[in-house]
Amino acid sequence: MRPFNPPTISGAPAAAARAARSSSAAWFILFVFLLLGAWTATTYNRMTRAQQGVDAQWAQVESVYQRRADLIPNLVAATQGYLAHERALFESLARAREFYAASSGSARRVEAANQLQELTARLIAVVEQYPELRSREVVLSLMDELAGTENRIAVERRRYNERVRDYNQLVLGVPRSLVARPFGFKPRPYFQAEADAATAPVTH
């Protein structure tokens, strides 16, 4: 008789090993996807907060802009009787205020605000030529308020540019830019004030 040889089962351990490796690879891939998803969500949230910070700071800039726009008619009313010969300047100021009120979007708003500031500085320079006029209490008070407002505008503009810098670093940095593009996060422009608009009018 031929001796009986039991069936070999040497293939079972190999199959089990392959299954274990496959399972480990699947778990690793799942872990990578979860990690990538968590990073994407965190990055998205950071960009959203930074974007909201930029928008909130721009609202602060517009708030002090509006304060200046509100003060100008009072200064005009207090001086135009004495400065009747400056009719063209007063008309330009009125048009600039209308342009500012009708402007929309940060770029147009900045353009309108700079134009208004330039004309306001011209009016203050004219008033400075008349000691009797500038010494009037109401005129002096308004000019001081305008000077303080210009200083506040400079502070808020600087803070706005700081927020834009932080936001742009998030949006443009690698690898965060891979998240920014698909979700529509775009770099924001810095506030570029004109040379004349960067300095507050000096009052005495």
Side-chain angles (χ1 to χ4, degrees):
M1 284 181 65
R2 298 178 58 186
F4 172 75
N5 294 322
T8 179
I9 55 171
S10 59
R18 286 195 299 271
R21 286 195 297 270
S22 177
S23 177
S24 298
W27 280 109
F28 177 76
I29 293 172
L30 178 61
F31 174 76
V32 169
F33 271 105
L34 290 175
L35 193 62
L36 182 61
W39 176 81
T40 300
T42 300
T43 302
Y44 175 86
N45 290 336
R46 287 185 62 191
M47 290 181 180
T48 299
R49 286 194 298 270
Q51 186 180 61
Q52 290 173 346
V54 171
D55 293 338
Q57 187 55 43
W58 175 248
Q60 288 294 106
V61 174
E62 286 202 314
S63 176
V64 286
Y65 270 161
Q66 189 60 53
R67 172 63 177 162
R68 179 174 64 191
D70 292 340
L71 285 170
I72 291 172
N74 297 333
L75 183 60
V76 169
T79 59
Q80 64 181 352
Y82 198 95
L83 301 174
H85 57 287
E86 294 291 344
R87 178 179 176 182
L89 176 56
F90 292 131
E91 290 176 349
S92 295
L93 273 166
R95 288 194 298 270
R97 286 189 73 248
E98 291 175 359
F99 176 47
Y100 174 79
S103 62
S104 60
S106 58
R108 292 275 290 177
R109 203 74 159 169
V110 169
E111 178 187 355
N114 285 342
Q115 180 181 342
L116 193 56
Q117 193 280 334
E118 180 183 353
L119 291 169
T120 303
R122 282 174 54 189
L123 175 59
I124 290 176
V126 171
V127 173
E128 287 288 336
Q129 298 173 16
Y130 299 88
E132 179 183 348
L133 177 59
R134 76 164 186 257
S135 65
R136 292 172 60 184
E137 184 176 351
V138 62
V139 173
L140 186 60
S141 175
L142 287 168
M143 290 174 65
D144 285 342
E145 285 192 66
L146 277 168
T149 300
E150 290 299 333
N151 289 330
R152 190 63 188 170
I153 287 173
V155 170
E156 299 298 347
R157 285 191 306 221
R158 175 178 55 78
R159 291 176 178 172
Y160 173 78
N161 280 342
E162 289 172 353
R163 294 291 183 91
V164 169
R165 178 200 61 204
D166 294 342
Y167 169 76
N168 285 349
Q169 286 176 348
L170 279 174
V171 170
L172 297 174
V174 178
R176 291 183 293 265
S177 59
L178 299 176
V179 176
R181 292 191 186 96
F183 287 103
F185 291 100
K186 298 179 180 179
R188 299 284 285 270
Y190 286 97
F191 190 112
Q192 299 292 340
E194 295 179 358
D196 291 340
T199 305
V202 178
T203 61
H204 304 283

